[in-house]
Amino acid sequence: MQEFARPQSLLLQLALTSFVFLSFVNTGNAGITSTFIRSEWPSVDIPLDNEAFVVPKGYNAPQQVRITQGDYDGKAVIISWVTTDEPGPSKVQYGTSQKGYDLTAEGSTTSYTFYKYKSGYIHHCLIDGLQYDTKYNYKIGQGDSSREFWFQTPPKIHPDASYKFGIIGDLGQTYNSLSTLEHYMQSGGQTVLFVGDLSYADRYEYNDVGLRWDTWGQFVERSTAYQPWIWSAGNHEIEYMPYMGEVLPFKSYLHRYTTPYLASKSSNPLWYAIRRASAHIIVLSSYSPFVKYTPQWVWLYEEFKKVDREETPWLIVLMHVPIYNSNEAHYMEGESMRAEFESWFVHYKVDVVFAGHVHAYERSYRISNIHYNVTSGERYPVPDKSAPVYITVGDGGNQEGLAGRFIDPQPNYSAFREASYGHSTLEIKNRTHAFYHWNRNDDGKKVATDSFILHNQYWGSNMRRRKLKKHYLRSVVDPITNY
Ligand SMILES: [Fe+2]
């Protein structure tokens, strides 16, 4: 809420910029295909001996430290790390005081093999019963090798709780990945919504697969040790490699990355939901069964019924494969999930769907194709005010490079698309408004990137807005935008 105290000129500037984009919604004009392509750095993985992957000194020092939300409502975190010399304790010391740690939690240790690679000792420790909106310091490891970090819990679940999410996808471990990560860390984002394809370790063979999971864990630690990353899995997490004797899908990923799936009554860590501040976030698995009556389908059917927009106005869905994509890369791959779930997204008025997979950026207008019918001839996406905005952020910067070829002409549903590296932020201001921004990696060239003001799909309706107290309506942007 404090952000509204900024000079109004800035806000107006943003509003006017948004209005340019939003005007397309009303006129039905085609969107923008940016011609900008960033090409300074090749998409090669950072060498193993680079300082980006340097592990902490000391016997059995914890490495690859990361946290994620540990419960449904944001009062718990799961802290994970790896030790390599011996298992060591899975204990976390934590507290709110600067002077010491008055609380402890015990976790557990796991490990796995992949071909002949033997993982380190992977620790997962749940810390629950935390206070909202509080900074916690924590310490892991033993003696001289122990390490200290901190995190901030989210505000209490409340419809007007402001919060800033970052959205990153298909990150990998190249110099472009590093640039994306560093730019995100300057954005003020408080939690990352990660839309799949983490390390790209599966681009390697034999023991290097495990090694590149380790380097990635160390690479992202600069952010993941201090704020939660909300994980979803992509195709690069499957690692189905029968020629190496590895046929168990998601083996490395599921040992290394945990999710609070039980808290949302999910039966599988690959799909789950959390609530954080004023957002209800649903994570789907593009590479698990989702047709009618499968566990994921049944779970989502129930989860949507639990969404309470009076408590958490912002309904966000994460998945790896985009449902609307006008890039030649991975064209139509999301069609099966669209056929299954799009009508629910419209019915429940999902605000925004974030995906990755396509190594470019694209944003849709609010459109749906729920009347598609193979016998009636209805087969085009049409403007639909109840539909989500679909955003593809598969541009983290992995070694596969950019997906530079968009289908021409740009379809009517596509509002903005550009093949360059970056990340997004969604800054929720209150129950009615959020600022969205796509941030291309900074390269010294001043070219417009994509931004707009998102009106909440539930509270944005005139009828509900009328019910709100007057002070909610004093936003300078309110009369201008209608997205
Ligand atoms: Fe992918």
Side-chain angles (χ1 to χ4, degrees):
M1 296 295 282
Q2 279 181 334
E3 297 296 310
F4 277 126
R6 283 178 180 171
Q8 291 201 342
S9 59
L10 270 178
L11 204 54
L12 268 173
Q13 211 175 7
L14 182 59
L16 289 171
T17 310
S18 310
F19 182 67
V20 173
F21 291 121
L22 298 171
S23 61
F24 289 111
V25 177
N26 300 327
T27 61
N29 285 349
I32 295 167
T33 301
S34 170
T35 54
F36 181 85
I37 293 180
R38 188 178 197 294
S39 58
E40 277 82 350
W41 293 330
S43 284
V44 292
D45 276 356
I46 298 172
L48 290 174
D49 59 357
N50 189 280
E51 62 180 352
F53 303 139
V54 74
V55 294
K57 289 193 177 79
Y59 177 77
N60 215 34
Q63 55 173 268
Q64 306 174 48
V65 182
R66 48 190 172 256
I67 66 174
T68 194
Q69 184 162 320
D71 64 352
Y72 201 48
D73 280 348
K75 289 180 81 175
V77 298
I78 301 167
I79 301 177
S80 306
W81 69 97
V82 175
T83 52
T84 54
D85 299 310
E86 60 170 286
S90 291
K91 186 173 76 174
V92 175
Q93 294 175 269
Y94 65 103
T96 54
S97 160
Q98 296 279 5
K99 293 172 191 158
Y101 303 95
D102 38 8
L103 298 161
T104 58
E106 280 292 339
S108 59
T109 309
T110 185
S111 63
Y112 70 97
T113 56
F114 197 88
Y115 187 61
K116 291 174 184 166
Y117 165 89
K118 223 176 149 314
S119 77
Y121 305 99
I122 302 165
H123 305 259
H124 300 297
C125 184
L126 175 73
I127 299 178
D128 56 10
L130 300 172
Q131 301 297 313
Y132 283 121
D133 216 359
T134 303
K135 183 179 175 180
Y136 283 88
N137 303 298
Y138 69 97
K139 183 177 179 180
I140 50 178
Q142 285 175 298
D144 293 345
S145 304
S146 64
R147 299 179 70 200
E148 293 172 272
F149 306 91
W150 58 267
F151 61 85
Q152 176 90 17
T153 52
K156 189 178 175 195
I157 301 283
H158 186 276
D160 288 308
S162 58
Y163 206 73
K164 189 169 184 176
F165 291 100
I167 305 99
I168 300 176
D170 304 69
L171 186 57
Q173 43 193 303
T174 71
Y175 294 99
N176 290 312
S177 321
L178 180 59
S179 176
T180 299
L181 191 54
E182 286 180 340
H183 283 103
Y184 165 66
M185 290 172 67
Q186 292 160 16
S187 74
Q190 295 164 285
T191 289
V192 169
L193 308 178
F194 193 86
V195 288
D197 283 358
L198 288 67
S199 69
Y200 286 75
D202 68 337
R203 301 275 296 176
Y204 292 84
E205 289 188 308
Y206 305 112
N207 292 343
D208 288 344
V209 178
L211 261 182
R212 280 291 177 173
W213 273 107
D214 286 327
T215 53
W216 195 80
Q218 195 55 35
F219 169 63
V220 294
E221 186 194 81
R222 69 203 71 200
S223 174
T224 58
Y226 299 94
Q227 61 171 248
W229 283 40
I230 307 304
W231 302 109
S232 57
N235 53 302
H236 286 279
E237 279 68 75
I238 299 173
E239 294 184 331
Y240 176 70
M241 299 175 164
Y243 71 98
M244 290 163 48
E246 294 297 345
V247 293
L248 186 64
F250 304 107
K251 188 182 186 183
S252 309
Y253 172 75
L254 289 175
H255 277 90
R256 290 167 179 271
Y257 294 88
T258 53
T259 67
Y261 67 103
L262 293 172
S264 58
K265 310 272 190 292
S266 165
S267 59
N268 194 306
L270 296 172
W271 60 85
Y272 62 101
I274 59 162
R275 309 197 310 165
R276 197 165 181 86
S278 51
H280 192 123
I281 297 158
I282 289 175
V283 179
L284 298 180
S285 175
S286 298
Y287 299 99
S288 304
F290 51 76
V291 296
K292 202 168 186 179
Y293 309 129
T294 57
Q296 184 170 201
W297 186 96
V298 171
W299 173 82
L300 184 58
Y301 180 80
E302 295 299 327
E303 184 64 24
F304 266 131
K305 288 196 282 190
K306 286 196 257 170
V307 176
D308 182 352
R309 307 294 277 272
E310 303 279 331
E311 285 192 342
T312 50
W314 296 94
L315 181 52
I316 299 167
V317 174
L318 311 182
M319 59 180 65
H320 185 62
V321 180
I323 280 180
Y324 285 99
N325 163 42
S326 69
N327 197 296
E328 286 185 17
H330 305 303
Y331 182 64
M332 295 288 280
E333 281 182 23
E335 186 63 5
S336 49
M337 190 174 268
R338 188 197 65 73
E340 206 60 59
F341 292 150
E342 186 182 27
S343 59
W344 292 356
F345 295 168
V346 174
H347 178 76
Y348 288 101
K349 291 181 182 287
V350 170
D351 287 293
V352 57
V353 177
F354 290 111
H357 199 40
V358 179
H359 300 165
Y361 172 75
E362 183 163 15
R363 169 172 63 88
S364 80
Y365 296 118
R366 292 197 185 279
I367 41 96
S368 76
N369 199 7
I370 54 177
H371 300 298
Y372 175 82
N373 184 317
V374 290
T375 54
S376 71
E378 296 285 346
R379 60 188 185 279
Y380 297 114
V382 293
D384 186 338
K385 284 182 177 168
S386 294
V389 176
Y390 294 90
I391 297 178
T392 304
V393 199
D395 53 348
N398 64 75
Q399 61 152 268
E400 291 179 342
L402 289 166
R405 287 206 302 274
F406 287 107
I407 287 165
D408 190 35
Q410 186 168 9
N412 285 340
Y413 66 73
S414 175
F416 186 98
R417 53 187 195 172
E418 179 179 314
S420 52
Y421 301 116
H423 74 275
S424 293
T425 52
L426 182 68
E427 188 175 5
I428 293 169
K429 307 304 293 187
N430 53 29
R431 75 182 73 190
T432 56
H433 291 84
F435 290 175
Y436 169 83
H437 199 101
W438 175 61
N439 308 269
R440 179 197 302 135
N441 289 351
D442 185 11
D443 42 30
K445 300 185 179 96
K446 287 199 188 302
V447 190
T449 53
D450 193 28
S451 61
F452 62 91
I453 296 167
L454 192 67
H455 276 217
N456 185 267
Q457 285 287 69
Y458 180 83
W459 287 99
S461 78
N462 286 337
M463 207 167 70
R464 289 212 172 77
R465 269 206 302 249
R466 251 180 264 136
K467 289 182 188 167
L468 286 171
K469 291 175 186 172
K470 277 183 182 171
H471 73 271
Y472 290 123
L473 299 176
R474 287 193 192 137
S475 164
V476 66
V477 297
D478 201 36
I480 299 175
T481 60
N482 58 359
Y483 201 33

